[in-house]
């Protein structure tokens, strides 16, 4: 039986169609799931990025370094300052030489100055901008007057910033608020970098497309499409690597930033964050600091051409650095000025004038690295008593110190000029020196030099070189004795004769004079002024080593002091700063005045946080200290310090003391005038021997410094209970003024000699004395 045609026709294979229909649902399900997973991951990543953006923006956005200022220079009729010192301080504070009309500039004609101050917010109030005129004559201000601004008898200049305490990342900035900056700055910035800033949502797709097309046509990157928001995100949150992932994150975070915060808030943050240059290891961020760094002026005082330069540098701070590449910077600045003109921000005439002006950049940055590293080191140690390091690095504190730039300059010059002349040959090259200068009456540290290279920021010998002080201890030995006037006076005979001490362990100690000679009995004042060793040891042993130790502790030594007799020859070790501390008490008639480097600390807004006022504590009888001061003045006139007057004017009355240790390993000099106390040390870091004594090593450094600084001589006030008598100190007897060997000496009441010796008192002697008195 034949099959029907219909039944015999071929059948389509269902497998092929069913396979095709089955794959489509599986593929789309897979793609849907993949997209869903991607969206979840993207959402999670967005949540993370959102947390990063908001945490930084709502927390502490910037770590602002603390700024350290010198003391302000006060100008008034009679103020003590030389013309050279005034000009150096103006330069240090960022003033520019010119016609003296523009804020932050000065004009010098001979010794006449015209200065336009910038004004400054001090802890005790604002100092307004003024224009002043003055003359310098005999290192004194004369003819002081205010030409413009509120009249005032005293004008304080803006203090020089001498350093800062910076965050670990070394970013530096001066924070500004949007309503404080010139209106031309943000409008120019937007005209050049982001014309549609107030219209986009963080990214500008059209700008990105235009930039990509321009870069493809040029074959290199010639145009950027980033908005200001994207630039801020890149600088604030991301690295500078050029990858698609980083660019994607930049775009996402820009959108998130715009969703959370107002445009003005973003713009203000950009103004404070943008990178605009480098100062050594420190990076300059924000227009506030850049204005001071490049022009030495406040941002609010900038002119059109200066604003244009800073905005132009945003594109490449190193490439357009005006100090290194002035032609390149000028071309870029003029391009920005043209953009300002095209945008209608300035008139054509004003634009033309601005393009014709020089860059106007100061010769050197007004803010540089710490100028005085040794001094800043001491400031930081004093601050550490009250402030955490992290706060000092990030809270933008303002620290007003006691440093006097003119005195610091003189101190540095004294060390660098004198040290190469000492010792000779290789020995001179190995020598180091320190110099500590304080205000005699207040204990303010005015200058500090930590080594032969004042700019070296390493080992600070003024603070950390603890070396035996040698004969610097002798005034404290004699002070301890003179506080017992019934036993010791300046004319008490002390024995300059060798002796031997034998200890319980059988060891023997035999002190000697530096010159090896012995003089028998000498009056105490001569033993001190000529720095004889044997009398000092005998007196110290007589009153007790413990008593001398107590005196040193009372005057400010806070480290353990050995009780061995060798301590009486200065085997006790101290740093130069500690020596300055204890000699401060001798200069102030027995008052322990803690040294201080800080006057006041304020927060970034100017609110006072800490005031460091003068502290004094009487630790010794002023009458006894007065006697020691007399002997220290005699040291300068007749004793081991007399060579100072080869350098210092003879009319400048001084008091001081030399110190030398074995083999000249340490050369010391400590002394004071009516205004200043200074301590000098010279030696080697390896503690090797030198050929120097206190008089031939440290004293020349000290004298070179004292000769440079205007000051008053030391004229101590005679305390109650002290009276002067004419005596023959060799015979410990009262005598007449014109007798041989007569000397006017101070005595604590009741301790003066009772014996009297007379001389012929001839008419010749009296007439000679009368004539000498006329011509003194």
């Amino acid at each position: 039986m034949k099959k029907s045609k219909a039944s015999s026709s071929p059948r389509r294979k269902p497998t092929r169609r069913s396979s095709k229909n089955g794959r489509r649902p599986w593929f789309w399900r897979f793609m849907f799931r993949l997209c869903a997973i991607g969206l979840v991951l993207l959402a999670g990543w967005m949540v993370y990025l959102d947390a990063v953006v908001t945490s930084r923006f709502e927390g502490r956005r910037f770590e602002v370094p603390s700024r350290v200022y010198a003391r302000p220079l006060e100008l008034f009729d009679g103020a003590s300052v030389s013309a050279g010192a005034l000009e150096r301080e103006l330069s240090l504070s960022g003033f520019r030489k010119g016609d003296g009309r523009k804020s932050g500039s000065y004009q010098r004609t001979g010794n006449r100055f015209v200065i336009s101050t910038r004004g400054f917010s001090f802890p005790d109030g604002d100092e307004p901008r003024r224009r002043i005129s003055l003359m310098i004559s005999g290192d004194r201000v004369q003819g002081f007057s205010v030409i413009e601004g509120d009249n005032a008898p005293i004008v304080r200049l803006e203090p020089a910033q001498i350093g800062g305490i910076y965050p670990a990342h070394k970013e530096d900035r001066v924070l500004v608020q949007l309503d404080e900056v010139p209106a031309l700055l943000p409008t120019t910035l937007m005209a050049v970098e982001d014309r549609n800033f107030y219209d986009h949502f963080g990214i500008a797709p059209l700008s990105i497309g235009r930039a990509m097309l321009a870069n493809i046509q040029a074959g290199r990157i010639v145009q950027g499409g980033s908005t200001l928001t994207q630039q801020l995100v890149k600088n604030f949150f991301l690295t500078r690597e050029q990858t698609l992932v980083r660019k994607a994150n930049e775009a996402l975070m820009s959108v998130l930033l715009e969703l959370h915060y107002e445009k003005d808030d973003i713009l203000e943050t950009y103004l404070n964050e943008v990178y605009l240059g480098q100062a050594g290891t420190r990076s300059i961020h924000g227009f506030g600091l850049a204005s001071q760094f490049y022009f030495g002026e406040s941002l609010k005082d900038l002119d059109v051409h200066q604003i244009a330069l800073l905005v132009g540098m945003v594109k490449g701070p190193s490439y357009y650095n005006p100090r290194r590449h002035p032609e390149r910077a000028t071309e870029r600045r003029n391009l920005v000025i043209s953009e300002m003109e095209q945008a209608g921000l300035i008139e054509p005439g004003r634009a033309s004038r601005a393009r014709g002006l020089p860059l106007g950049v100061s010769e050197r940055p007004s803010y540089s690295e710490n100028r005085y590293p040794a001094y800043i080191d001491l400031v930081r140690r004093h601050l550490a008593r009250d402030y955490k390091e992290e706060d000092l690095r990030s809270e933008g504190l303002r620290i007003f110190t006691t440093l006097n730039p003119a005195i610091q300059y003189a101190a540095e010059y004294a060390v660098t000029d004198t040290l190469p002349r000492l010792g000779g040959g290789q020995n001179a090259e190995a020598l180091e020196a320190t110099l500590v200068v304080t205000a005699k009456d207040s204990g303010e540290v005015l200058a500090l030099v930590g080594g032969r290279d004042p700019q070296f920021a390493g080992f600070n010998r003024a603070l950390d070189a603890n070396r035996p002080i040698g004969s610097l201890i002798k005034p404290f030995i004699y002070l301890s004795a003179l506080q017992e006037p019934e036993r010791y006076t300046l004319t008490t005979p002390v024995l300059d004769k060798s002796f031997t001490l034998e200890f319980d362990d059988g060891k023997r100690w035999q002190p000697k004079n530096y010159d090896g000679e012995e003089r028998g009995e000498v009056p105490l004042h001569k033993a001190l002024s000529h720095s004889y060793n044997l009398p000092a040891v005998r007196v110290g042993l007589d009153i007790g080593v413990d008593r001398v130790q107590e005196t040193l502790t009372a005057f400010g030594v806070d480290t353990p002091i050995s009780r061995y007799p060798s301590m009486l020859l200065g085997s006790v070790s101290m740093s130069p700063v500690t020596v300055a501390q204890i000699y401060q008490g001798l200069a102030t008639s027995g008052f322990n005045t803690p040294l201080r480097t800080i006057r006041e600390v304020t927060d970034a807004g100017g609110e006072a946080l800490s005031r460091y006022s003068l502290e004094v504590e009487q630790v010794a009888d002023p009458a006894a200290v007065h006697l020691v001061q007399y002997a220290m003045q005699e040291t300068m006139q007749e004793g081991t310090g007399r060579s100072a007057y080869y350098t210092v004017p003879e009319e400048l009355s001084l008091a001081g003391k030399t110190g030398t240790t074995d083999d000249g390993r340490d050369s010391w000099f400590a002394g004071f005038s009516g205004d200043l106390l200074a301590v000098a040390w010279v030696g080697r870091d390896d503690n090797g021997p030198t050929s120097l004594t206190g008089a031939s090593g440290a004293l020349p450094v000290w004298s070179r410094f004292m000769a440079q600084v205007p000051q008053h001589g030391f004229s101590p006030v005679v305390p109650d209970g002290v009276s002067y008598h004419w005596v023959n100190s060799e015979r410990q007897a009262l005598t007449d003024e014109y007798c041989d060997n007569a000397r006017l000496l101070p005595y604590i009441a009741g301790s003066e000699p009772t014996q009297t010796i007379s001389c012929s008192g001839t008419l010749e002697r009296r007439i000679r004395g009368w004539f000498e008195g006329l011509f003194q």
Side-chain angles (χ1 to χ4, degrees), residues 577-650:
V577 166
T578 302
V579 172
Q581 175 65 73
I582 63 175
Y583 267 76
Q584 196 78 34
L586 292 179
T588 55
S589 300
F591 290 89
N592 182 355
T593 307
L595 301 186
R596 58 194 180 111
T597 56
I598 307 166
R599 290 181 176 177
E600 194 156 11
V601 177
T602 74
D603 65 14
E607 291 295 321
L609 298 177
S610 305
R611 288 186 174 90
Y612 296 84
S613 302
L614 177 66
E615 298 179 10
V616 294
E617 178 187 4
Q618 186 171 340
V619 295
D621 180 8
V625 176
H626 184 78
L627 271 57
V628 174
Q629 290 173 341
Y630 174 92
M632 292 175 67
Q633 287 180 288
E634 183 182 318
T635 298
M636 304 304 296
Q637 297 292 335
E638 306 171 24
T640 55
R642 60 188 178 275
S643 61
Y645 286 103
Y646 297 151
T647 308
V648 179
E650 291 186 4

Side-chain angles (χ1 to χ4, degrees), residues 79-88 113 136 138-140 406 708 710:
S80 177
V81 62
S82 67
L86 175 56
E87 187 161 32
R88 280 193 299 271
F113 288 80
I136 303 291
D139 293 336
R140 297 280 174 182
Q708 297 178 78

Side-chain angles (χ1 to χ4, degrees), residues 315-333:
K315 185 177 180 181
S318 298
Y319 188 79
Y320 296 111
N321 186 322
R323 292 193 177 96
R324 294 183 178 179
H325 311 292
E327 294 181 0
R328 200 182 288 168
T330 301
E331 182 180 356
R332 175 64 179 166
R333 181 204 67 177

Side-chain angles (χ1 to χ4, degrees), residues 64 67 172-176 271-272 285-289 292 367:
V64 182
R67 308 202 178 278
D172 195 5
R173 55 175 50 83
V174 173
L175 294 183
V176 296
L271 293 175
N272 287 302
H285 285 259
F287 288 93
L289 180 60
Q292 297 170 340
Y367 285 177

Side-chain angles (χ1 to χ4, degrees), residues 434-495:
T434 66
L435 192 60
V436 182
V437 185
T438 70
K440 181 182 76 69
D441 294 324
S442 66
E444 291 185 338
V445 181
L446 306 178
L448 189 79
V449 181
R452 68 183 299 145
D453 179 5
Q455 301 303 312
F456 179 64
F459 182 57
N460 189 345
R461 295 165 190 81
L463 297 177
D464 298 322
N466 289 290
R467 307 293 287 260
I469 65 172
S471 295
L472 291 189
I473 199 173
K474 289 174 182 173
F476 299 94
I477 298 173
Y478 290 116
L479 173 61
S480 302
L482 290 168
Q483 292 189 93
E484 300 180 19
E486 68 282 359
R487 298 180 59 198
Y488 285 99
T489 69
L490 288 178
T491 50
T492 298
V494 290
L495 190 58

Side-chain angles (χ1 to χ4, degrees), residues 421-720:
R421 307 179 189 184
L422 302 177
Q426 294 181 347
N427 187 45
E429 296 177 4
L431 290 177
E432 282 289 349
T434 66
L435 192 60
V436 182
V437 185
T438 70
K440 181 182 76 69
D441 294 324
S442 66
E444 291 185 338
V445 181
L446 306 178
L448 189 79
V449 181
R452 68 183 299 145
D453 179 5
Q455 301 303 312
F456 179 64
F459 182 57
N460 189 345
R461 295 165 190 81
L463 297 177
D464 298 322
N466 289 290
R467 307 293 287 260
I469 65 172
S471 295
L472 291 189
I473 199 173
K474 289 174 182 173
F476 299 94
I477 298 173
Y478 290 116
L479 173 61
S480 302
L482 290 168
Q483 292 189 93
E484 300 180 19
E486 68 282 359
R487 298 180 59 198
Y488 285 99
T489 69
L490 288 178
T491 50
T492 298
V494 290
L495 190 58
D496 182 21
K497 188 176 181 181
S498 61
F499 63 96
T500 301
L501 284 181
E502 186 169 342
F503 301 99
D504 294 339
D505 59 2
K507 292 183 178 179
R508 298 161 62 89
W509 183 58
Q510 188 174 13
K512 294 181 179 179
N513 285 327
Y514 182 81
D515 59 6
E517 297 183 7
E518 300 175 14
R519 298 162 186 83
E521 283 192 347
V522 294
L524 186 149
H525 68 88
K526 185 175 182 179
L528 176 53
S529 65
H530 287 75
S531 199
Y532 300 148
N533 288 342
L534 294 172
V537 174
R538 288 180 178 274
V539 171
L541 292 174
D542 182 47
I543 60 173
V545 173
D546 289 351
R547 181 71 180 277
V548 179
Q549 180 194 35
E550 291 170 1
T551 299
L552 289 171
T553 301
F555 273 73
V557 178
D558 56 6
T559 54
I561 301 172
S562 71
R563 299 187 179 186
Y564 296 107
S566 59
M567 182 264 278
L568 300 172
L569 288 182
S571 63
V572 57
S573 295
M574 298 182 196
S575 70
V577 166
T578 302
V579 172
Q581 175 65 73
I582 63 175
Y583 267 76
Q584 196 78 34
L586 292 179
T588 55
S589 300
F591 290 89
N592 182 355
T593 307
L595 301 186
R596 58 194 180 111
T597 56
I598 307 166
R599 290 181 176 177
E600 194 156 11
V601 177
T602 74
D603 65 14
E607 291 295 321
L609 298 177
S610 305
R611 288 186 174 90
Y612 296 84
S613 302
L614 177 66
E615 298 179 10
V616 294
E617 178 187 4
Q618 186 171 340
V619 295
D621 180 8
V625 176
H626 184 78
L627 271 57
V628 174
Q629 290 173 341
Y630 174 92
M632 292 175 67
Q633 287 180 288
E634 183 182 318
T635 298
M636 304 304 296
Q637 297 292 335
E638 306 171 24
T640 55
R642 60 188 178 275
S643 61
Y645 286 103
Y646 297 151
T647 308
V648 179
E650 291 186 4
E651 62 272 14
L652 185 65
S653 177
L654 300 166
K657 184 69 189 75
T658 53
T660 311
T661 61
D662 291 344
D663 299 322
R665 297 176 191 275
D666 300 282
S667 170
W668 291 92
F669 193 86
F672 45 90
S673 66
D675 302 316
L676 304 175
L677 179 145
V679 174
W681 169 86
V682 174
R684 293 172 51 147
D685 284 342
D686 61 4
N687 200 31
T690 74
S691 58
L692 303 173
T693 65
S696 63
L699 181 56
V701 175
W702 186 91
S703 304
R704 189 74 186 88
F705 164 74
M706 283 292 196
Q708 297 178 78
V709 182
Q711 57 191 301
H712 300 92
F714 178 60
S715 181
V717 176
V718 180
D720 293 338

